[in-house]
Amino acid sequence: MTGVLPGGAARAQEADAALSYACTFPSGTVESVGVRLRTTFPDGGVVGEPVQPGKVTATVTIPKAALGDVSALGGAAVAGTVGVGVAAAQGGKATAVEWAGLATPPTPVPEDADLVLAASGDVPPVTPAGAGDLAFTAGELTLTLASRGAGGEAPQDAEPPLAVACEPAGDDREIATVPVAAGTQPGTAEPAAPVAPKAGQKAAAAPGGTPAECGKYAGPTDDWYPGCTYLSGFSNVKKLNGATILNDPKAERPALTNLVYSLTDTGASVRQKFVAPLRSRSTFLTFGFMPTTATMEMTQRPVKPGADYGTFEAVSDMQTGIQSVSAHMRMSIRLYDVEVDETPLDVGPRCRTVRDVDITLKGQMPNILQGGILEGTFTIPPFSGCGAREDLDRLFSGTVAGPGNLLRVTLGSTCIPDADISCPPALPAPSRTAAPKG
């Protein structure tokens, strides 16, 4: 079933599909399992441009008749992943898309009731090759469950994970249909510049509740725990002898940081990913006298192709308990909405660094989940694609690019939504104090 969400010109379909599956459990029994898929789709698409579903949630109801197989895992709770095979069909041709890795939090196993699991995660887009309706339908479902203790921890001598294969049991498997219109060919569309807050615009209040996106980031394996936090900081631009604030807590929509963590013998490992780019708007004196205002956007990239995004490693001192933290991430920097002496300078939508910025930050703190200060220096690469009417690459490369730029960030406490710890996440004020030496 689909509908249209109200509000504004940018509208989306709300997909809410109730599906039935016949699932074969390890004991050999076949049970009927209900699955409710919910997500959003754009209300229309364009040929050659990705159609991106929103965050997907899958509520899986396992009947109590099948709990013998689940209880055999031996834990008080279970956690795992749900995968749905989806067909994206257009013009009589279908493309298989895997909605894999929808993660479930640790969920207690009931004694005499159905087990209801809530899985969620991001899914890949589909790029239509032609005009016409693009129909999404659900296919096979896979369910993997692993044992968890009452506190969500993985038992040391746990049984192997339970794997369940499921076939669609009903005829109604439609998720959503997106009408696709003729448009530009792939690669010719240029992204629109985000709308930045204007100078003097009143900042909105900090979020009052736990963001819906919190904890929606899957770990390398099922025994990583999800959470979220906010960070803020200062980034120096050495050539301009000034600094810009990153992820200003007073901004209307500061970017959330999603993360997963795993406790280790020496401390903790954390994998993080920003939900949205980090943006800041600042004014510098170019050439020492010309006031130049611009919005800087930092978009996170994988540390290496196919790998994690941000990595944080915390090692505890065995005597003091203080953790030395090392963070690594890669960012692409874009400049837009530029004004020189209050006169707009059209730099176009693709004025960005020619390569990703490699950033390593270090610091010490009592516990990485409680937050603290990290800092390091980084090199801003030259810029490319600057200028809608004239080539401005050399201008920005000459005035901004270069080594020795200090970055200092403040991490807030980690909100752990499954246990309602430190939730909602707080917006930390950026610190001007240097991080302790790691």
Side-chain angles (χ1 to χ4, degrees):
M1 179 178 181
T2 61
V4 178
L5 295 178
R11 304 170 74 87
Q13 297 187 58
E14 183 180 88
D16 189 344
L19 309 170
S20 180
Y21 283 88
C23 298
T24 303
F25 287 82
S27 62
T29 62
V30 179
E31 301 290 347
S32 179
V33 171
V35 177
R36 184 180 182 185
L37 282 179
R38 286 176 289 179
T39 185
T40 57
F41 286 85
D43 66 350
V46 176
V47 173
E49 296 186 9
V51 173
Q52 175 67 67
K55 189 79 68 175
V56 173
T57 61
T59 304
V60 180
T61 301
I62 299 176
K64 61 182 181 181
L67 290 187
D69 290 277
V70 179
S71 299
L73 291 171
V78 291
T81 58
V82 174
V84 183
V86 174
Q90 186 183 49
K93 297 182 179 180
T95 299
V97 184
E98 290 296 324
W99 288 6
L102 306 180
T104 73
T107 304
V109 179
E111 294 183 0
D112 190 26
D114 295 344
L115 171 61
V116 180
L117 301 170
S120 63
D122 295 316
V123 298
V126 174
T127 301
D133 286 347
L134 180 63
F136 292 80
T137 57
E140 297 179 351
L141 179 137
T142 57
L143 177 64
T144 303
L145 295 177
S147 176
R148 291 290 183 269
E153 71 282 0
Q156 292 184 348
D157 300 322
E159 293 291 327
L162 171 70
V164 181
C166 306
E167 297 285 343
D171 294 331
D172 187 5
R173 294 184 280 159
E174 179 185 357
I175 301 174
T177 298
V178 178
V180 177
T184 58
Q185 294 301 310
T188 61
E190 294 191 356
V195 178
K198 298 300 181 183
Q201 179 178 348
K202 184 178 179 181
T210 301
E213 301 91 344
C214 181
K216 303 299 191 295
Y217 183 46
T221 56
D222 293 340
D223 55 355
W224 289 61
Y225 300 99
C228 68
T229 187
Y230 283 104
L231 62 77
S232 62
F234 290 101
S235 176
N236 284 4
V237 181
K238 186 176 180 180
K239 280 188 174 180
L240 295 176
N241 194 31
T244 180
I245 188 170
L246 288 178
N247 214 33
D248 189 349
K250 297 180 181 180
E252 184 174 354
R253 296 185 64 184
L256 182 74
T257 303
N258 253 338
L259 59 83
V260 290
Y261 69 93
S262 176
L263 302 181
T264 66
D265 293 339
T266 57
S269 288
V270 178
R271 302 293 180 263
Q272 62 83 224
K273 184 178 181 182
F274 299 116
V275 172
L278 304 181
R279 298 188 179 101
S280 63
R281 185 155 181 83
S282 299
T283 298
F284 298 93
L285 291 178
T286 309
F287 306 117
F289 67 91
M290 184 71 72
T292 301
T293 302
T295 298
M296 181 177 73
E297 177 183 83
M298 300 181 74
T299 301
Q300 195 171 18
R301 306 292 197 193
V303 174
K304 57 183 179 180
D308 291 315
Y309 282 75
T311 61
F312 289 62
E313 300 298 332
V315 178
S316 300
D317 185 292
M318 294 297 103
Q319 294 183 338
T320 66
I322 297 296
Q323 292 185 338
S324 295
V325 179
S326 178
H328 184 208
M329 64 188 71
R330 297 179 71 86
M331 310 290 284
S332 175
I333 299 177
R334 183 168 78 97
L335 300 176
Y336 64 92
D337 200 8
V338 179
E339 295 179 355
V340 178
D341 199 16
E342 299 185 351
T343 300
L345 178 64
D346 191 355
V347 301
R350 295 177 295 179
C351 180
R352 65 171 64 248
T353 49
V354 296
R355 58 182 177 273
D356 296 342
V357 180
D358 194 280
I359 298 174
T360 297
L361 305 175
K362 295 183 180 294
Q364 292 184 335
M365 56 196 70
N367 189 306
I368 190 172
L369 298 181
Q370 296 175 7
I373 302 170
L374 297 169
E375 69 174 30
T377 58
F378 66 100
T379 297
I380 300 177
F383 284 81
S384 177
C386 303
R389 297 179 179 85
E390 56 182 321
D391 188 351
L392 301 175
D393 293 349
R394 295 179 63 183
L395 171 64
F396 289 104
S397 296
T399 57
V400 178
N405 303 285
L406 175 68
L407 176 62
R408 180 179 297 142
V409 299
T410 302
L411 298 174
S413 296
T414 297
C415 163
I416 305 173
D418 291 344
D420 196 24
I421 297 174
S422 299
C423 298
L427 290 159
S431 175
R432 297 180 183 272
T433 304
K437 299 299 182 182

PDB file of all heavy atoms in Angstrom, residues 64-81:
ATOM      1  N   LYS A  64       5.031 -18.504  17.789  1.00  0.00           N
ATOM      2  CA  LYS A  64       5.549 -19.229  18.948  1.00  0.00           C
ATOM      3  C   LYS A  64       5.781 -20.709  18.647  1.00  0.00           C
ATOM      4  O   LYS A  64       6.594 -21.362  19.316  1.00  0.00           O
ATOM      5  CB  LYS A  64       4.613 -19.069  20.134  1.00  0.00           C
ATOM      6  CG  LYS A  64       3.202 -19.595  19.926  1.00  0.00           C
ATOM      7  CD  LYS A  64       2.346 -19.339  21.149  1.00  0.00           C
ATOM      8  CE  LYS A  64       0.933 -19.871  20.972  1.00  0.00           C
ATOM      9  NZ  LYS A  64       0.091 -19.596  22.171  1.00  0.00           N
ATOM     10  N   ALA A  65       5.115 -21.229  17.598  1.00  0.00           N
ATOM     11  CA  ALA A  65       5.319 -22.633  17.223  1.00  0.00           C
ATOM     12  C   ALA A  65       6.751 -22.883  16.756  1.00  0.00           C
ATOM     13  O   ALA A  65       7.223 -24.024  16.774  1.00  0.00           O
ATOM     14  CB  ALA A  65       4.335 -23.031  16.125  1.00  0.00           C
ATOM     15  N   ALA A  66       7.461 -21.830  16.336  1.00  0.00           N
ATOM     16  CA  ALA A  66       8.826 -21.981  15.838  1.00  0.00           C
ATOM     17  C   ALA A  66       9.873 -21.587  16.871  1.00  0.00           C
ATOM     18  O   ALA A  66      11.066 -21.574  16.570  1.00  0.00           O
ATOM     19  CB  ALA A  66       9.010 -21.145  14.578  1.00  0.00           C
ATOM     20  N   LEU A  67       9.441 -21.268  18.086  1.00  0.00           N
ATOM     21  CA  LEU A  67      10.384 -20.773  19.084  1.00  0.00           C
ATOM     22  C   LEU A  67      11.328 -21.846  19.585  1.00  0.00           C
ATOM     23  O   LEU A  67      12.358 -21.536  20.189  1.00  0.00           O
ATOM     24  CB  LEU A  67       9.636 -20.129  20.259  1.00  0.00           C
ATOM     25  CG  LEU A  67       8.933 -18.799  19.950  1.00  0.00           C
ATOM     26  CD1 LEU A  67       8.393 -18.184  21.225  1.00  0.00           C
ATOM     27  CD2 LEU A  67       9.882 -17.841  19.262  1.00  0.00           C
ATOM     28  N   GLY A  68      11.001 -23.124  19.361  1.00  0.00           N
ATOM     29  CA  GLY A  68      11.924 -24.185  19.775  1.00  0.00           C
ATOM     30  C   GLY A  68      13.265 -24.056  19.093  1.00  0.00           C
ATOM     31  O   GLY A  68      14.320 -24.196  19.725  1.00  0.00           O
ATOM     32  N   ASP A  69      13.253 -23.757  17.807  1.00  0.00           N
ATOM     33  CA  ASP A  69      14.512 -23.570  17.077  1.00  0.00           C
ATOM     34  C   ASP A  69      15.255 -22.336  17.569  1.00  0.00           C
ATOM     35  O   ASP A  69      16.483 -22.338  17.660  1.00  0.00           O
ATOM     36  CB  ASP A  69      14.225 -23.441  15.583  1.00  0.00           C
ATOM     37  CG  ASP A  69      13.770 -24.744  14.963  1.00  0.00           C
ATOM     38  OD1 ASP A  69      14.629 -25.571  14.624  1.00  0.00           O
ATOM     39  OD2 ASP A  69      12.543 -24.943  14.844  1.00  0.00           O
ATOM     40  N   VAL A  70      14.510 -21.282  17.876  1.00  0.00           N
ATOM     41  CA  VAL A  70      15.144 -20.049  18.349  1.00  0.00           C
ATOM     42  C   VAL A  70      15.712 -20.246  19.747  1.00  0.00           C
ATOM     43  O   VAL A  70      16.856 -19.843  20.036  1.00  0.00           O
ATOM     44  CB  VAL A  70      14.132 -18.882  18.329  1.00  0.00           C
ATOM     45  CG1 VAL A  70      14.785 -17.609  18.849  1.00  0.00           C
ATOM     46  CG2 VAL A  70      13.594 -18.658  16.925  1.00  0.00           C
ATOM     47  N   SER A  71      14.942 -20.881  20.629  1.00  0.00           N
ATOM     48  CA  SER A  71      15.398 -21.095  22.005  1.00  0.00           C
ATOM     49  C   SER A  71      16.612 -22.005  22.058  1.00  0.00           C
ATOM     50  O   SER A  71      17.425 -21.923  22.990  1.00  0.00           O
ATOM     51  CB  SER A  71      14.263 -21.683  22.849  1.00  0.00           C
ATOM     52  OG  SER A  71      13.151 -20.803  22.901  1.00  0.00           O
ATOM     53  N   ALA A  72      16.769 -22.869  21.048  1.00  0.00           N
ATOM     54  CA  ALA A  72      17.909 -23.787  21.024  1.00  0.00           C
ATOM     55  C   ALA A  72      19.236 -23.062  20.910  1.00  0.00           C
ATOM     56  O   ALA A  72      20.295 -23.654  21.176  1.00  0.00           O
ATOM     57  CB  ALA A  72      17.758 -24.778  19.872  1.00  0.00           C
ATOM     58  N   LEU A  73      19.207 -21.786  20.534  1.00  0.00           N
ATOM     59  CA  LEU A  73      20.436 -21.006  20.493  1.00  0.00           C
ATOM     60  C   LEU A  73      21.022 -20.813  21.882  1.00  0.00           C
ATOM     61  O   LEU A  73      22.217 -20.548  22.034  1.00  0.00           O
ATOM     62  CB  LEU A  73      20.179 -19.641  19.842  1.00  0.00           C
ATOM     63  CG  LEU A  73      19.861 -19.651  18.338  1.00  0.00           C
ATOM     64  CD1 LEU A  73      19.422 -18.274  17.883  1.00  0.00           C
ATOM     65  CD2 LEU A  73      21.077 -20.108  17.540  1.00  0.00           C
ATOM     66  N   GLY A  74      20.151 -20.892  22.912  1.00  0.00           N
ATOM     67  CA  GLY A  74      20.643 -20.892  24.287  1.00  0.00           C
ATOM     68  C   GLY A  74      20.713 -19.559  24.979  1.00  0.00           C
ATOM     69  O   GLY A  74      21.072 -19.490  26.153  1.00  0.00           O
ATOM     70  N   GLY A  75      20.392 -18.466  24.328  1.00  0.00           N
ATOM     71  CA  GLY A  75      20.486 -17.153  24.961  1.00  0.00           C
ATOM     72  C   GLY A  75      19.130 -16.623  25.384  1.00  0.00           C
ATOM     73  O   GLY A  75      18.080 -17.092  24.926  1.00  0.00           O
ATOM     74  N   ALA A  76      19.143 -15.624  26.266  1.00  0.00           N
ATOM     75  CA  ALA A  76      17.900 -14.991  26.680  1.00  0.00           C
ATOM     76  C   ALA A  76      17.341 -14.080  25.593  1.00  0.00           C
ATOM     77  O   ALA A  76      16.155 -13.745  25.610  1.00  0.00           O
ATOM     78  CB  ALA A  76      18.131 -14.178  27.955  1.00  0.00           C
ATOM     79  N   ALA A  77      18.188 -13.695  24.660  1.00  0.00           N
ATOM     80  CA  ALA A  77      17.772 -12.796  23.581  1.00  0.00           C
ATOM     81  C   ALA A  77      18.446 -13.224  22.285  1.00  0.00           C
ATOM     82  O   ALA A  77      19.340 -14.078  22.278  1.00  0.00           O
ATOM     83  CB  ALA A  77      18.124 -11.354  23.924  1.00  0.00           C
ATOM     84  N   VAL A  78      18.007 -12.640  21.186  1.00  0.00           N
ATOM     85  CA  VAL A  78      18.611 -12.895  19.881  1.00  0.00           C
ATOM     86  C   VAL A  78      18.801 -11.570  19.148  1.00  0.00           C
ATOM     87  O   VAL A  78      18.108 -10.588  19.419  1.00  0.00           O
ATOM     88  CB  VAL A  78      17.748 -13.842  19.000  1.00  0.00           C
ATOM     89  CG1 VAL A  78      17.735 -15.245  19.568  1.00  0.00           C
ATOM     90  CG2 VAL A  78      16.334 -13.303  18.841  1.00  0.00           C
ATOM     91  N   ALA A  79      19.762 -11.554  18.248  1.00  0.00           N
ATOM     92  CA  ALA A  79      19.966 -10.419  17.350  1.00  0.00           C
ATOM     93  C   ALA A  79      20.426 -10.981  16.024  1.00  0.00           C
ATOM     94  O   ALA A  79      20.949 -12.097  15.958  1.00  0.00           O
ATOM     95  CB  ALA A  79      21.001  -9.446  17.916  1.00  0.00           C
ATOM     96  N   GLY A  80      20.232 -10.234  14.963  1.00  0.00           N
ATOM     97  CA  GLY A  80      20.644 -10.769  13.670  1.00  0.00           C
ATOM     98  C   GLY A  80      20.348  -9.835  12.528  1.00  0.00           C
ATOM     99  O   GLY A  80      20.288  -8.613  12.699  1.00  0.00           O
ATOM    100  N   THR A  81      20.160 -10.421  11.361  1.00  0.00           N
ATOM    101  CA  THR A  81      19.912  -9.634  10.155  1.00  0.00           C
ATOM    102  C   THR A  81      18.764 -10.232   9.356  1.00  0.00           C
ATOM    103  O   THR A  81      18.495 -11.433   9.415  1.00  0.00           O
ATOM    104  CB  THR A  81      21.165  -9.577   9.253  1.00  0.00           C
ATOM    105  OG1 THR A  81      21.548 -10.912   8.898  1.00  0.00           O
ATOM    106  CG2 THR A  81      22.319  -8.883   9.955  1.00  0.00           C
TER     107      THR A  81
END
